[in-house]
Amino acid sequence: MKFETLKPVKAAQLIAQRVRDAVLSGELAVGDRLPTEKELIKQLGYSRAVVREGLRLLESDGLIHLQAGRNGGAVISSPNTERLVSSLNTILRLQSTTVAEVHEAQRLIEPLVIQLACDRATVEDIAAVRRTIELIEENPGDKDLVLEQSNRFHTLLGEAAHNNVMAIITTLMREVVIQMAYSGDAAEALTIARIHRRILDAVEARDVKAATRRALRHLDATECVMTTREPAVADATVVPLGRRKAASTARVAVAKD
């Protein structure tokens, strides 16, 4: 039997792993400040260049942020999903993923999110989701706000499921979808708000069947819009399918129960 030659682990990676382990074990918490660079060099026994490289690795992972100034230094932070979204977008593009595939994945995930939200959503969760609807209703002509709050509606529903894995998956899926630019008018924004309100009403009433039915029809209509509007196709993060239905059909579908 022959073993392959093992490649030595870089010192900077060892430093980064030591800090990760400390965070995961609870030795360090979000907001804690790492020792100064001079102290890290002394404690870890590596050169300034190696310590700095290890800190850059941690910063690229989003596990620390570096503060400048006299009282600056490395502070433990909580990684967000933006870094994951960037990697996911790259993977989807390289694999020529279609809008239909993204839609199919959403259709599989959405019923689980809805069921958990119906079981676990708190009064505060419902209020936060409802606020996204109100903002759209108050500003239907603001396309950036409509896109942001429409996306937030779905991510907050994911959080209302009170399952960290489902919340992260929902957020990642929505961030992929949000790359496909919204181009609707004020009337369509109000239609979106209306169906969002109907979904939320069913969740608040703990009516899983109605909430799921409305959510899936909304997903179907959204997918139809994405595959019929050329601006969205041009800006799509994933490679979309060809046009299949008229945009007017999609708009009507959004309004259905």
Side-chain angles (χ1 to χ4, degrees):
M1 181 176 180
K2 294 183 178 180
F3 293 97
E4 296 180 357
T5 301
L6 297 176
K7 295 182 180 180
V9 178
K10 293 179 64 175
Q13 293 174 327
L14 291 174
I15 292 173
Q17 189 58 52
R18 175 66 186 90
V19 175
R20 287 193 199 97
D21 290 343
V23 173
L24 294 176
S25 68
E27 292 179 68
L28 291 170
V30 173
D32 286 349
R33 189 180 299 274
L34 290 181
T36 63
E37 184 180 275
K38 183 177 181 180
E39 186 62 27
L40 284 173
I41 292 170
K42 180 179 178 181
Q43 289 184 20
L44 298 170
Y46 289 106
S47 68
R48 176 177 296 174
V50 172
V51 169
R52 286 183 174 178
E53 184 181 354
L55 292 177
R56 282 195 293 270
L57 289 174
L58 291 168
E59 187 179 30
S60 67
D61 288 343
L63 197 57
I64 66 169
H65 66 273
L66 300 175
Q67 296 180 341
R70 184 177 180 181
N71 297 318
V75 180
I76 302 299
S77 59
S78 179
N80 56 44
T81 57
E82 290 180 5
R83 299 173 189 276
L84 294 176
V85 170
S86 178
S87 298
L88 181 59
N89 281 341
T90 300
I91 293 170
L92 293 177
R93 288 180 67 93
L94 290 175
Q95 296 184 356
S96 299
T97 305
T98 66
V99 169
E101 289 175 296
V102 174
H103 173 65
E104 182 178 47
Q106 284 185 288
R107 267 190 140 269
L108 293 171
I109 295 169
E110 194 77 0
L112 298 177
V113 172
I114 292 294
Q115 181 175 347
L116 290 175
C118 284
D119 290 340
R120 302 174 180 176
T122 64
V123 172
E124 292 75 19
D125 291 332
I126 297 296
V129 178
R130 183 176 291 112
R131 184 56 185 154
T132 68
I133 300 169
E134 293 169 347
L135 286 170
I136 294 175
E137 292 172 336
E138 294 166 5
N139 306 276
D142 187 334
K143 293 183 180 181
D144 290 337
L145 181 142
V146 171
L147 178 61
E148 176 187 356
Q149 295 304 318
S150 179
N151 184 62
R152 187 165 170 74
F153 170 87
H154 293 281
T155 57
L156 287 178
L157 269 185
E159 292 177 11
H162 292 279
N163 179 299
N164 285 334
V165 176
M166 293 303 297
I168 291 172
I169 291 174
T170 300
T171 300
L172 287 175
M173 293 300 298
R174 291 304 307 176
E175 289 298 329
V176 168
V177 172
I178 204 174
Q179 300 296 324
M180 305 169 192
Y182 167 76
S183 59
D185 55 20
E188 185 164 330
L190 293 174
T191 300
I192 290 171
R194 185 162 60 252
I195 188 59
H196 279 189
R197 189 174 290 281
R198 291 182 65 78
I199 294 170
L200 182 61
D201 286 346
V203 170
E204 188 173 20
R206 314 298 176 182
D207 188 339
V208 177
K209 289 184 178 179
T212 302
R213 182 177 68 252
R214 294 170 185 177
L216 291 179
R217 287 185 175 178
H218 182 44
L219 279 178
D220 291 343
T222 301
E223 189 255 358
C224 187
V225 170
M226 287 179 178
T227 56
T228 56
R229 286 194 178 147
E230 291 186 3
V233 169
D235 295 337
T237 300
V238 293
V239 180
L241 293 177
R243 304 177 69 173
R244 296 182 297 176
K245 297 180 181 179
S248 58
T249 302
R251 189 174 285 113
V252 171
V254 177
K256 288 183 177 179
D257 179 7

